[in-house]
C-alpha cells in the first residue's frame, strides 16, 4: 500500500512530519510519502523522506509568474505530485496539461477526483494513478472506506474500464490502520491522508498505528 | 450527420441564421441546429429552428447570480447544450456537474475537448456526444478533417474505448460540404461550425452548400 | 431609492415578478427594477418592467462561446447590469473590462463588493454605482442595515473618497420597508433584494410593503 | 529606486541571479530584490539577497492543498510578495484577501494592475505599493516608460488620488538603466524587471548597467 500524507497548509512542522514519514517508511512494507507546500519541498526532501508536490501547473519554462513549474519542484526534490485535488480543482484541459508537465519532469502523478465518473475521466488522461475523494467526507474523520464503500469499488471499476494500467487510491476521513486495510479490501493500492497524521501530537506514533496492520 | 452552427458572440442577426437553419434542415437528410447566446434562445427557438445553448452551469435552482441554469434555457426553447467549449473551459468536476444539470433538464449534451485524451475523459462523464476541436485550428479556415485527420480518428477511438454509446463530433475550420464529408469519412457523426455560416453574407446559401454533398 | 430585485436562478415565475415590479414602480416614488437570468431578459422586458442583467462578460463581439455580451442583453431589453456579484466574482481586470463593455452598450452599471476596501476599489473603476453586500449576511434574512450598519457607512465613505460621482447601494438580508429606510438613513441610494420578493407568495404585496415607507 | 527582478518560471539558475542581486544591492543606493518561484525561496534567501514571493493565496492555515500560504513563504525567507501579476490575475475579493494574508505574515505587498483605473482600485485595498504593467508591453523589450509614459503618470495620479501612502512602481519592457531613470522621472519609486536580468548571460553585469545611472 502507498500512504501519502498531504500537509496542506496545516500549522504543522513539515520537517517533524517528514522525519516520521522517513522513519516509518523504513520499518514497514508500506510505501509512505509526504506532500508539503512548494516552499517546503527542498527542506522536506533533505530529510530523506519521499517527497511529493501538492500541485503543478500546466506550464513549461517561460513567462509564468506565481505558478508551480514541474521541473522546479522536481529539482527541489519532489518525486511525484497530486493534481486536481478537491481543494485545487483544475479545468479538464489543465489537468491534461499538468499530467504532461509532470511526466516531462519525471514526476509520478496522482489525479484526484470526486466520484467514479470523474475517476474514469481522470484515468483517460494517462496518469500513474487516480484518487477518489468524496468532497463531503474530506476532513470529517469518517473514512470513505466505511461511509461509502460503493464509491471506492465503483471508482476502481471505472478506472480499470478506461485504462487497467492506472492505479487507484482513495482518501477522505482515513485515520487508522483499519481504515487503510478496509480500503485495500475494496481494491485500492493506496490512500491519501492529511489531518490524521499532520495534526497528530506524535506523527510517528500516528503513522506507526496506521501501517501496523498492513 | 449533425451540423451545429455556433453563433458565439458574433455580430450576426441570430434570427436570420436561425431561419436559414430551419429552412435548410427541412430540405436535407442532415440534422441542422443553431446555438445562439442565452439572451437570444427564446427568439431563435420561436423560428422553429432546433436551438441549442452554448453553455450551462453546474448548478440547480437557487442562489446563483449571473449563471446559466439548464432548466431556464430549456424553458426558453433549447433542446441541447454545448459544454466545455474551448472558449468556455470548465473544471473537470464542473463538466460533470453541467452534464448532470443538462440531463436533469432533458437537454442533449455535447462536451467539447481539445485532443483524444481529453475526449476519452469527456466520454467517461456520460454525455450524449463529445466534440474534438484542436484549439489551434479554431477560426483558421483550415478544416481539422484535412489539417489533422489523425486527431479526429484518434478521438473516435478514444471515445469508443471508454463508452461506445457516446457519439463523436469534430470542429475547427470546417466551412464546406467537402469538409463535412471528409469528417464523416473519419468516423464522426456530426460537426461544429461557426464563422463559416454565422458570418456568411447569405447564411442559407452557405448552409445549402454545406449539406449539399451529404 | 432604487430597489433592484435579483431573481438569481430561483424557481420563481420571472414574468409574475416582473409584472409586480412594473406595477409597484408606477405607484411609488421609488425606482423598482428586476434582474432575471439572461435567457429571460427579453420576455421580462416585454412586461414593461425596468430590466437588468445579472452579469456581463468583459468581451466584445467575436469568438466567445457561452459568454454574455453586453450588447446582446441590451438588445434583449436590459438597461443595466450587475457586475461582480458575490455569486459571480470576477478578476479585477475583468470587472474593469465588464464595466467598459456595459458602458459601450449603454447599460447602467452596479459593481458589487464585500466590504468598504473593495467598494473603494470598485468605485475606482468608474461604474455608475457600487453595492456593498457582506457575503455572510446574504440570504440570512438579517438585514445588513441592522446587523452591520458600520460596513454600510464605511462603504459610503470609501466610495466617496475615491469618486464622489459613484452612487452606493447595499444588499444582503433586506426584506422589509423598514430595512430599506434604515439603509437610506445610512447614506445609500438604493438596495439589492432577492429572495424576499422573488420567493414571496405574492410578489406585488411584498414589494408594496417594501416601498410603502419610502 | 526599488528594483525587483521577477524570475517567473524562466530556465535560469535562481542562485546565480540571487547572488548578483545581493552583490549589486551592496554596491548601489538602489534597493535590489529578487522574486523566485516558491520552491526556490529558501535557497535564494540563503544567499542573502532580498527575496520576494511571486504570489500568495488569500488563505489562512488550514485545509488548502496546492496553495501558497503567506506564512510559509515568509518562514522560507521571503520579505515581500507580488500580488495579481498579469500572469496570475486574481478576483478582486482575492486580491483583498491576499493583501491581508501578506500583511498578517509581515510581507511587504506590491499589487500589480494593467492601467490607471485598476491601479486606483488596487491602491484602495491598502497595499504598500502598486505596479502598473500594460500587458501588451510585457516581454517586448519596449520600455513602458518610453512606449506609454502617459499610462505611468496617470497611474501615479490614480494611486495618489486614492491613497497617497501607496507607492507606485511600473514594469514591462524595462531593461536598461536609462529606462529606470525615465521611469523615475515619471514619478514611480521602483520598477519590475524580468527577462532583462533573468535571461542575461551575466546577470551581475546586467544589473550593474541597470543601477549605474541611479
Amino acid at each position: 500500500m502507498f500512504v501519502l500524507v498531504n500537509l496542506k497548509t496545516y500549522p504543522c512542522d513539515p520537517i517533524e512530519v517528514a522525519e516520521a514519514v522517513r522513519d516509518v517508511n523504513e520499518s514497514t512494507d508500506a510505501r509512505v510519502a509526504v506532500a508539503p507546500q512548494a516552499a517546503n519541498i527542498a527542506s522536506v526532501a533533505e530529510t530523506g523522506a519521499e517527497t511529493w508536490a501538492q500541485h503543478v501547473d500546466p506550464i513549461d519554462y517561460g513567462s509564468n509568474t506565481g505558478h508551480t513549474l514541474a521541473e522546479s519542484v522536481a529539482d527541489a526534490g519532489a518525486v511525484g505530485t497530486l493534481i486536481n485535488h478537491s481543494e485545487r480543482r483544475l479545468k479538464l484541459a489543465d489537468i491534461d496539461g499538468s499530467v504532461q508537465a509532470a511526466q516531462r519532469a519525471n514526476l509520478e502523478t496522482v489525479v484526484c477526483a470526486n466520484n467514479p465518473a470523474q475517476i474514469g475521466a481522470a484515468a483517460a488522461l494517462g496518469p500513474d494513478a487516480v484518487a477518489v475523494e468524496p468532497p463531503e467526507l474530506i476532513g470529517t474523520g469518517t473514512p470513505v472506506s466505511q461511509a461509502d464503500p460503493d464509491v471506492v469499488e465503483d471508482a476502481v471499476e471505472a478506472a480499470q474500464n478506461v485504462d487497467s494500467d492506472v492505479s487507484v487510491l482513495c482518501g477522505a476521513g482515513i485515520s487508522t490502520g483499519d481504515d487503510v486495510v478496509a480500503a485495500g479490501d475494496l481494491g485500492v493500492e493506496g490512500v491519501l491522508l492529511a489531518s490524521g497524521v499532520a495534526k497528530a501530537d506524535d506523527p510517528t506514533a500516528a503513522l506507526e498505528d496506521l501501517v501496523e496492520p498492513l
Side-chain angles (χ1 to χ4, degrees), chain A:
Chain A
M1 290 290 278
F2 179 43
V3 175
L4 179 58
V5 181
N6 177 2
L7 301 188
K8 302 190 176 186
T9 60
Y10 289 139
C12 62
D13 178 351
I15 303 302
E16 184 190 5
V17 182
E19 289 171 344
V21 163
R22 176 200 61 199
D23 294 346
V24 173
N25 183 62
E26 285 167 3
S27 67
T28 174
D29 289 342
R31 172 187 169 200
V32 190
V34 61
Q37 297 173 53
N40 297 326
I41 287 173
S43 56
V44 161
E46 272 174 27
T47 65
E50 180 180 329
T51 304
W52 281 53
Q54 295 178 8
H55 164 78
V56 296
D57 280 300
I59 56 164
D60 206 334
Y61 286 106
S63 292
N64 309 289
T65 297
H67 288 75
T68 304
L69 179 69
E71 280 81 357
S72 295
V73 299
D75 289 348
V79 300
T81 186
L82 294 174
I83 292 171
N84 195 45
H85 189 275
S86 70
E87 294 157 7
R88 191 74 162 87
R89 283 176 172 166
L90 300 180
K91 294 178 183 178
L92 172 59
D94 289 340
I95 301 175
D96 186 23
S98 291
V99 169
Q100 291 178 39
Q103 291 174 340
R104 195 185 60 215
N106 293 315
L107 294 172
E108 200 172 327
T109 49
V110 172
V111 177
C112 303
N114 297 345
N115 58 34
Q118 292 173 31
I119 283 290
L125 301 174
D128 295 299
V130 291
V132 62
E133 291 198 295
E136 65 276 16
L137 295 178
I138 293 179
T140 58
T142 304
V144 60
S145 47
Q146 180 183 308
D148 200 350
D150 286 355
V151 81
V152 178
E153 292 185 311
D154 291 350
V156 172
E157 189 183 337
Q160 291 201 326
N161 193 45
V162 169
D163 183 344
S164 57
D165 289 340
V166 175
S167 299
V168 181
L169 316 182
C170 72
I174 290 176
S175 60
T176 72
D178 287 349
D179 298 342
V180 182
V181 170
D185 291 344
L186 295 169
V188 305
E189 299 178 35
V191 294
L192 302 187
L193 299 173
S195 56
V197 171
K199 292 182 170 179
D201 288 334
D202 183 342
T204 304
L207 270 174
E208 284 173 340
D209 283 355
L210 205 90
V211 302
E212 193 271 329
L214 299 183

